[in-house]
Amino acid sequence: KNPSNHNTSNSKAILHFRPLSIYNTISTMKYTLTVLAALIIFAQSCYLIYDPYCCDCVNQETNDCFVKQANISFDRCAHHECESSGGMMGAAQCVKYNSTEWQTAQEYVNMLDGPINTKLVDAGVKYNYGCWNHLKMAELKMQVVNGKNYWVKLELLCEPLAEHNYAHVYFYVPNNIDAEGHVEFPHPVLNAIQYPRSERCMLDTFKDDDIVVNATIY
């Protein structure tokens, strides 16, 4: 046999199969990248169960996954559908989280901490012993009248039972300008409390107490 002919034959075989090998490698890489892209899209997509959150009073997200995907803090969201006031004059308006009006209302809530807790405890609500940080504002509506009406959803941080740890509170702040135009220190007045309420209960306007305590649950 001619050695040179043998080497030439092998070289041709190698050259003949090399393009097919490269094609298979490229096809495999394309398939792998396609699968990875599909997995990334699947991982980033949200489930479509309707469990709405209303964020910043106007932006409704389908569920908690969409809230996270939008990079929105849950402090800015209420766990229910957004509602519209319909543009009615004097209607209670949703107040955005951490706005100036929100911070003002938070100061009023701090001033009413004692009366709110006294009213709940007198009605039979029990708090964890030694708990001092009582209330966290979760939602707020405000109405301009001759003064201002406020309705707030409060998380009761000292309430030991999670299913009962929200209350809706209605208070009124009269105008703090006297007849001579002097600015006086505001004096919020507690009007009514609804308890118990859950995180998902929509905050509506109300004027009367609705406190129901089942003594057997404690």
Side-chain angles (χ1 to χ4, degrees):
K1 294 182 180 180
N2 189 338
S4 61
N5 291 338
H6 178 72
N7 292 337
T8 303
S9 177
N10 287 343
S11 298
K12 288 181 179 180
I14 292 172
L15 290 173
H16 176 73
F17 288 107
R18 184 172 295 166
L20 182 60
S21 176
I22 293 173
Y23 174 79
N24 289 338
T25 301
I26 293 173
S27 298
T28 301
M29 290 177 64
K30 286 182 177 180
Y31 175 78
T32 303
L33 290 173
T34 301
V35 171
L36 285 174
L39 288 173
I40 291 172
I41 293 172
F42 179 78
Q44 291 179 341
S45 64
C46 286
Y47 61 93
L48 297 180
I49 296 175
Y50 187 66
D51 187 18
Y53 283 77
C54 182
C55 302
D56 295 328
C57 299
V58 293
N59 299 322
Q60 184 164 303
E61 303 293 345
T62 303
N63 53 50
D64 59 342
C65 178
F66 284 87
V67 176
K68 295 174 183 176
Q69 198 171 71
N71 198 27
I72 300 174
S73 169
F74 281 93
D75 287 337
R76 294 160 50 192
C77 305
H79 196 175
H80 55 63
E81 293 180 336
C82 293
E83 62 176 345
S84 172
S85 65
M88 297 174 56
M89 183 64 69
Q93 301 292 327
C94 177
V95 178
K96 290 185 177 181
Y97 170 76
N98 217 26
S99 62
T100 300
E101 192 65 55
W102 179 283
Q103 293 174 359
T104 299
Q106 180 65 70
E107 293 178 4
Y108 295 149
V109 169
N110 293 342
M111 295 167 65
L112 290 171
D113 180 90
I116 291 172
N117 286 302
T118 297
K119 190 166 190 173
L120 289 172
V121 171
D122 286 347
V125 178
K126 298 184 184 297
Y127 284 163
N128 287 324
Y129 180 76
C131 180
W132 297 104
N133 188 18
H134 299 125
L135 308 172
K136 179 183 179 182
M137 205 160 70
E139 195 174 345
L140 170 65
K141 288 186 176 181
M142 185 267 293
Q143 178 188 40
V144 177
V145 286
N146 184 21
K148 290 183 178 180
N149 286 321
Y150 292 90
W151 289 268
V152 296
K153 176 185 284 186
L154 298 178
E155 183 179 1
L156 307 180
L157 302 177
C158 295
E159 163 63 73
L161 301 176
E163 65 270 26
H164 297 138
N165 67 339
Y166 282 85
H168 294 177
V169 175
Y170 163 44
F171 62 91
Y172 168 71
V173 181
N175 287 325
N176 61 334
I177 301 177
D178 64 19
E180 298 178 357
H182 300 136
V183 178
E184 300 176 337
F185 193 77
H187 295 285
V189 179
L190 176 62
N191 286 337
I193 297 178
Q194 293 182 337
Y195 171 92
R197 294 295 183 268
S198 71
E199 178 190 6
R200 300 188 61 176
C201 286
M202 185 176 291
L203 177 64
D204 293 319
T205 60
F206 62 96
K207 63 179 182 178
D208 298 318
D209 286 323
D210 180 20
I211 303 175
V212 179
V213 178
N214 184 354
T216 62
I217 65 177
Y218 289 102

